[in-house]
């Protein structure tokens, strides 16, 4: 074992129901733990997110009466604004480690960008 560590005693019980007292080599213990998903690394990914808000104002038709414009709407848009509720802080459940088969893995993922915008819709 590593110099003077005496090993790692894992939590749990033996097959006979007594407390585990067997020390293991830390390198082997933690490498085995990393190769399987255990309950201590599983989190509830439930969340409620304010994904998009749009505030729009349509100009009254009488303001556009002497123009070729039939309608004009101005909108303010915000995307990925905030989380209303989530169980795991600092992780966006919609972010992904990569674009292949790695669902549910979080590995230093970048934050989801927040964006703001203005839309102008003109009808002729």
């Amino acid at each position: 074992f590593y110099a003077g560590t005496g090993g790692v005693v894992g939590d749990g019980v033996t097959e006979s129901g007594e407390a585990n007292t067997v020390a293991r080599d830390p390198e082997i213990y933690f490498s085995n733990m990393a190769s399987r998903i255990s309950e201590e690394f599983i989190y509830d990914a439930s969340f409620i997110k304010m994904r998009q808000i749009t505030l729009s104002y349509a100009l009254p038709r009488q303001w556009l009466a002497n123009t070729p414009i039939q309608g004009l709407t101005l909108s303010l848009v915000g995307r990925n604004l905030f989380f209303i509720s989530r169980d795991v802080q600092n992780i966006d459940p919609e972010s992904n480690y990569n674009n292949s088969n790695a669902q549910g893995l979080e590995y230093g993922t970048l934050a989801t960008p927040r964006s703001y915008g203005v839309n102008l819709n003109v009808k002729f």
Side-chain angles (χ1 to χ4, degrees), residues 30-45:
F30 288 110
S31 68
N32 286 338
M33 182 181 287
S35 66
R36 67 182 189 275
I37 296 176
S38 62
E39 288 185 19
E40 61 189 295
F41 299 114
I42 297 175
Y43 301 99
D44 182 0

Side-chain angles (χ1 to χ4, degrees), residues 61-80:
R61 291 185 152 254
Q62 61 266 28
W63 290 11
L64 306 170
N66 297 328
T67 68
I69 299 172
Q70 299 296 315
L72 192 128
T73 305
L74 181 65
S75 302
L76 300 175
V77 180
R79 292 186 180 92
N80 294 320

